[in-house]
Amino acid sequence: MTECKNIFEILEELKENAKQIDDDKLKEVEKLITEANRIFISGAGRSGFAARGFSNRLMHLGYTVYFVGEPTTPSIQEGDLLIVGSGSGNTASLVSNTKKAKEQGAKVATLTMFPENTIGSMADAAIRIPGVTEKVEGKGQDSVQAAGSSFEELCWITYDAMVMDLMKLTNQTDKDLFKRHANME
């Protein structure tokens, strides 16, 4: 068997980038999650896939959670939380969702490369995830992967890190989460 060099390059890149993520910022988002009446998750493209995975895990933890844009997603209200995954922090549809959430009195958290951009500037909590994007030239860093990939992968891992903390905070085990796992697939 021959090792796949590319996989180890990706893992090394993610390991180095992960060192730049502030655990205190994760704790801020986790606090908002535990205080929210309901949680709304939003993301576009590949970042949206990572965000969908997080919404699924929050449901497994017993939270009332919705992914924005699904037909069964209700209106966001005061006391709710919107979590937005957006590399650029300027994606038009996600900016619109963020504005709507703020207008309704909801809290907002974001995972983004650029917390100083539009979504981050409106957020109550922001986790800066390092990465590369072609949408914002001159910002970001080099990557061994296609632009955006390291951000999306590190978002997924960051979401899973928060799930680990939330499991401890809510005193739940894998067995507890599995009780809420889909039984019609």
Side-chain angles (χ1 to χ4, degrees):
M1 182 178 89
T2 306
E3 290 180 350
C4 180
K5 181 182 175 229
N6 289 347
I7 291 174
F8 286 96
E9 283 187 62
I10 291 168
L11 292 173
E12 187 58 36
E13 177 175 89
L14 293 177
K15 181 179 175 184
E16 288 305 308
N17 286 349
K19 293 176 183 177
Q20 299 177 48
I21 297 175
D22 185 344
D23 192 53
D24 291 337
K25 298 297 184 182
L26 269 70
K27 301 292 186 261
E28 288 178 22
V29 174
E30 291 163 6
K31 185 175 189 295
L32 292 174
I33 289 169
T34 62
E35 294 173 347
N37 294 334
R38 301 175 302 170
I39 302 160
F40 293 73
I41 309 289
S42 185
R46 287 170 44 111
S47 300
F49 291 131
R52 282 178 187 275
F54 185 51
S55 67
N56 185 244
R57 283 291 185 230
L58 290 176
M59 180 274 295
H60 290 157
L61 281 162
Y63 292 100
T64 302
V65 60
Y66 302 97
F67 193 83
V68 175
E70 295 297 316
T72 57
T73 302
S75 62
I76 195 165
Q77 303 295 324
E78 185 175 346
D80 293 336
L81 171 65
L82 172 65
I83 301 174
V84 182
S86 175
S88 70
N90 285 327
T91 305
S93 62
L94 302 178
V95 168
S96 177
N97 291 340
T98 302
K99 287 179 181 176
K100 176 60 74 176
K102 295 305 283 185
E103 288 168 5
Q104 297 301 312
K107 301 276 185 180
V108 173
T110 188
L111 278 70
T112 182
M113 285 185 258
F114 305 105
E116 67 277 8
N117 284 354
T118 309
I119 295 168
S121 68
M122 290 188 282
D124 298 280
I127 301 171
R128 185 188 167 282
I129 306 289
V132 176
T133 179
E134 293 179 2
K135 291 183 179 178
V136 184
E137 290 185 31
K139 296 182 178 184
Q141 59 195 38
D142 291 331
S143 176
V144 299
Q145 304 179 71
S149 293
S150 61
F151 170 77
E152 297 143 3
E153 293 156 356
L154 206 45
C155 278
W156 195 293
I157 293 169
T158 301
Y159 289 137
D160 280 345
M162 286 193 285
V163 168
M164 290 171 66
D165 285 341
L166 291 166
M167 285 176 72
K168 291 174 190 166
L169 284 169
T170 59
N171 198 31
Q172 294 188 70
T173 65
D174 281 338
K175 190 175 184 175
D176 296 314
L177 273 64
F178 190 73
K179 289 177 190 173
R180 297 182 195 99
H181 193 279
N183 60 7
M184 295 187 295
E185 297 183 88

